Amino acid sequence: MAEASAYRGESKAAVAEGAVFKSIELTGESKKGWSEAIAVCVSQAAETIEGITDVQVEEMRGKVRDGSIASYLVRCKVLFRVDSKLRSH
């Protein structure tokens, strides 16, 4: 966990106090590309979830129509920190 926390730029104190993270799986779609599909997942998740720290792409797919890619899809996990104040209730 210390390595992952260092990657997120967290201090050693945050690790010492026992940080907890949760992940959710999302699927995003874009007509422009996979990067935009990832950005759609993160930006829409950020509308209702605070403290997103990471995104991990699990799968990339494309819908094909008439011999070309019509839309780009990504399945990804979005990771966010669980607020300790919420965990104590």
Side-chain angles (χ1 to χ4, degrees):
M1 182 68 174
E3 291 174 6
S5 296
Y7 170 76
R8 286 190 234 7
E10 293 185 18
S11 68
K12 289 182 181 180
V15 175
E17 65 185 43
V20 174
F21 296 86
K22 180 174 179 139
S23 67
I24 59 170
E25 188 173 286
L26 303 168
T27 300
E29 183 175 17
S30 167
K31 293 187 184 293
K32 295 181 180 178
W34 284 292
S35 293
E36 184 173 294
I38 296 165
V40 166
C41 283
V42 174
S43 66
Q44 290 202 8
E47 289 180 14
T48 58
I49 299 170
E50 291 184 18
I52 295 174
T53 59
D54 298 82
V55 62
Q56 179 179 337
V57 176
E58 300 287 318
E59 178 182 23
M60 298 169 73
R61 297 180 290 142
K63 290 185 180 180
V64 177
R65 288 194 191 101
D66 300 323
S68 63
I69 299 177
S71 63
Y72 301 81
L73 293 100
V74 294
R75 183 173 52 88
C76 59
K77 288 184 180 177
V78 173
L79 189 78
F80 55 96
R81 187 174 181 146
V82 175
D83 188 341
S84 61
K85 289 180 272 186
L86 296 176
R87 284 189 281 137
S88 65
H89 293 280

